[in-house]
């Protein structure tokens, strides 16, 4: 089960992701709206928050963090970094999937919508 006390591996030396993961797991009140999430969907087993570019028809877009966060209580947390709707991150993996123990289970590097490489992927 993911818990805030898990030893988190933020990957690529990105302390911001580690801090964000802790906030997500702890469920700190209001962080979704404080950071300007454009949509937030809560369901029985977790929630999804997304950030969109309103000037471009709502395409997923965020420059200062993941454009989508998918939290599944006790199972996983996935961060997706997108710019103008496409997977992209110049400073690390564009998809980071944390397993139930809080460690990185899967990462994918994307550049302007083109897949580059990944770890923890099924053969």
């Amino acid at each position: 089960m993911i818990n805030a006390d898990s030893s988190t591996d933020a990957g690529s030396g990105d302390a911001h992701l580690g801090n964000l993961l802790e906030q997500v797991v702890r469920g700190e009140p209001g962080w979704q709206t404080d950071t300007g999430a454009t949509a937030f969907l809560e369901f029985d087993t977790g929630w999804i928050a997304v950030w969109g570019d309103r000037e471009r028809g709502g395409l997923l877009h965020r420059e200062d963090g993941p454009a989508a966060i998918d939290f599944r209580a006790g199972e996983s947390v996935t961060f997706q970094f997108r710019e103008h709707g496409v997977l992209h991150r110049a400073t690390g993996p564009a998809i980071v999937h944390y397993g139930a123990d809080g460690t990185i289970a899967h990462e994918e590097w994307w550049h302007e919508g083109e897949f580059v490489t990944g770890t923890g992927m099924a053969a």
Side-chain angles (χ1 to χ4, degrees):
M1 181 165 134
I2 295 176
N3 63 60
D5 298 323
S6 294
S7 170
T8 59
D9 177 359
S12 304
D14 195 339
H16 173 71
L17 276 189
N19 292 336
L20 183 57
L21 179 65
E22 288 180 17
Q23 288 178 330
V24 167
V25 172
R26 284 192 178 116
E28 293 178 5
W31 75 266
Q32 300 93 342
T33 53
D34 291 347
T35 59
T38 54
F40 182 76
L41 174 64
E42 192 168 7
F43 44 93
D44 290 343
T45 58
W47 51 260
I48 297 172
V50 296
W51 288 257
D53 183 347
R54 289 185 176 101
E55 294 178 9
R56 294 200 167 136
L59 292 174
L60 292 183
H61 176 82
R62 189 172 177 204
E63 295 177 9
D64 63 345
I69 301 172
D70 183 346
F71 172 73
R72 306 298 167 137
E75 295 178 22
S76 65
V77 177
T78 302
F79 297 139
Q80 283 191 15
F81 292 80
R82 292 179 178 262
E83 290 186 14
H84 308 293
V86 299
L87 287 166
H88 175 80
R89 187 173 179 211
T91 61
I95 296 175
V96 182
H97 179 81
Y98 292 89
D101 62 357
T103 61
I104 294 174
H106 174 82
E107 293 177 306
E108 292 182 20
W109 280 258
W110 290 75
H111 181 75
E112 297 177 354
E114 297 290 325
F115 177 74
V116 177
T117 188
T119 64
M121 301 174 71

